[in-house]
Amino acid sequence: MQRTAINPTDWSLRFGFNQGELLENPSKLLVLSGQVSIDENGRPQHAGDMAAQVGLALDNIEAAAEAAGMTLANVARVTIFTTDMDAMLGASGSFIERFKKVGITPAQTMIGVSRLAMPDLMVELEAILAA
């Protein structure tokens, strides 16, 4: 698969993401539902700690990717749903670094919501992966 960044202007690069990703000839596509900060038993983790919730949600994306024979480097798009935009923006550095470590800057959208499925959850990450 060939992956090409699409950025009509470069403002988004300062925030660690591309506005688009052109994926040519992917052989696999993984569309994930929202991943959150829950353990293997479905219990919410890290109440009140946005950075920890983001980290665990990314861990869950990475585990799903591995189950599909992919890695975090295959993420093409992430949609971020958050109940606290300021806290998410504050935690975005570690989020961006996680993708930089694998050499990508996937397309992203961040959406503020009033609540997620469980009251202690502050962030949910949907992802599309391609290989």
Side-chain angles (χ1 to χ4, degrees):
M1 174 185 77
Q2 182 176 340
R3 182 179 190 141
T4 306
I6 303 295
N7 290 301
T9 61
D10 65 358
W11 67 267
S12 64
L13 298 177
R14 293 183 307 237
F15 296 96
F17 70 95
N18 287 314
Q19 294 173 56
E21 295 268 320
L22 177 61
L23 307 173
E24 296 183 68
N25 301 315
S27 60
K28 292 196 281 189
L29 184 67
L30 175 60
V31 179
L32 290 177
S33 63
Q35 299 298 301
V36 295
S37 179
I38 58 171
D39 65 15
E40 61 278 355
N41 296 309
R43 290 188 299 256
Q45 302 294 301
H46 312 299
D49 186 340
M50 180 64 81
Q53 286 198 19
V54 168
L56 185 50
L58 284 170
D59 290 347
N60 290 335
I61 289 173
E62 194 163 24
E66 289 172 5
M70 297 183 192
T71 71
L72 207 55
N74 294 105
V75 173
R77 176 175 174 71
V78 178
T79 303
I80 304 162
F81 299 94
T82 182
T83 61
D84 188 335
M85 192 68 73
D86 292 329
M88 182 58 214
L89 289 170
S92 66
S94 60
F95 176 85
I96 293 166
E97 283 303 312
R98 188 92 175 254
F99 289 113
K100 278 187 178 180
K101 283 182 183 178
V102 295
I104 63 168
T105 49
Q108 297 174 30
T109 299
M110 189 181 311
I111 302 168
V113 297
S114 61
R115 187 187 149 168
L116 293 168
M118 298 173 188
D120 287 338
L121 296 175
M122 301 168 68
V123 65
E124 184 167 334
L125 307 176
E126 276 185 356
I128 297 174
L129 295 82

